[in-house]
Amino acid sequence: MNTILSFEAKLAKYEAVLIGIMLLIMSLLAFLQVITRYVFFYSIIWSEEVTRYLMVWLTFIGAALAICKQDHISIDMFTSFFQKKTGRNFKVVLNLIILIFSICGGYFGLLLIMKTYAMGQLTEATRVPMYLIYCVMEFSFLLMAFHAFVRLIEKQNINKRN
């Protein structure tokens, strides 16, 4: 169990670093776009599209990190209404729901990626295949499922000790 928790902690650090890097790139691109547009009267065509897709990736990976840290609004909101013991059991139910949702989301995300791949759809400005943009869903749903599964195992081990 300690090995899994250690791996998850390292994974969460990488997720946080990745989110920080994406946020930095988004900020730099937005700043660069404003400068070039209003100072040089030139617009960088691809910067808005890249910023938009980085925001989507940041949101999906941030949702996985929120599950890892148990910072999702639903987890905090619902468990605060229940007493300690009931709240602990409720977290187990919420993590089970998150795990099921992640598996379903991953399945339908995979269908979307395969369909987009078959169609050969490209992004407008950068001409990147859209299925690569949609891969964040598979990546983040896999992370969400892993974090929810670890929370379930962790709660079970805590309940066995008590």
Side-chain angles (χ1 to χ4, degrees), residues 92-108 141 144-145 148-149 152:
V92 171
V93 171
L94 282 175
N95 282 309
L96 190 59
I97 291 170
I98 290 169
L99 180 62
I100 293 168
F101 172 78
S102 300
I103 292 169
C104 291
Y107 171 75
F108 289 111
F141 282 130
M144 287 180 204
F149 181 71
L152 285 170

Side-chain angles (χ1 to χ4, degrees), residues 7-13 15 61 63-70 95 98-99 102 140-154:
F7 175 73
E8 186 192 31
K10 288 179 184 177
L11 186 62
K13 283 183 184 179
E15 289 173 33
I61 295 171
L65 185 60
I67 290 171
C68 175
K69 305 243 183 239
Q70 296 286 279
N95 282 309
I98 290 169
L99 180 62
S102 300
S140 64
F141 282 130
L142 181 66
L143 288 173
M144 287 180 204
F146 175 73
H147 291 310
F149 181 71
V150 170
R151 293 290 81 75
L152 285 170
I153 292 173
E154 186 179 52

Side-chain angles (χ1 to χ4, degrees), residues 22-135:
M22 287 189 288
L23 189 58
L24 178 67
I25 293 171
M26 282 174 45
S27 300
L28 291 174
L29 283 175
F31 179 73
L32 183 64
Q33 178 70 352
V34 168
I35 295 298
T36 58
R37 184 177 291 167
Y38 292 108
V39 174
F40 300 111
F41 303 106
Y42 175 77
S43 181
I44 303 172
I45 297 169
W46 55 267
S47 69
E48 182 183 341
E49 183 176 282
V50 171
T51 303
R52 183 180 331 119
Y53 292 133
L54 281 173
M55 180 62 131
V56 170
W57 275 69
L58 186 142
T59 303
F60 272 97
I61 295 171
L65 185 60
I67 290 171
C68 175
K69 305 243 183 239
Q70 296 286 279
D71 283 342
H72 259 259
I73 188 168
S74 64
I75 293 172
D76 186 43
M77 183 177 71
F78 289 121
T79 55
S80 65
F81 288 123
F82 296 100
Q83 296 172 347
K84 251 184 179 171
K85 182 125 178 132
T86 310
R88 194 177 301 152
N89 292 334
F90 195 67
K91 281 187 178 184
V92 171
V93 171
L94 282 175
N95 282 309
L96 190 59
I97 291 170
I98 290 169
L99 180 62
I100 293 168
F101 172 78
S102 300
I103 292 169
C104 291
Y107 171 75
F108 289 111
L110 185 61
L111 292 179
L112 177 66
I113 290 169
M114 291 188 320
K115 188 173 186 177
T116 308
Y117 178 79
M119 290 175 26
Q121 185 179 1
L122 302 173
T123 60
E124 191 64 33
T126 57
R127 309 305 290 168
V128 173
M130 275 306 283
Y131 74 89
L132 291 177
I133 304 297
Y134 291 148
C135 281

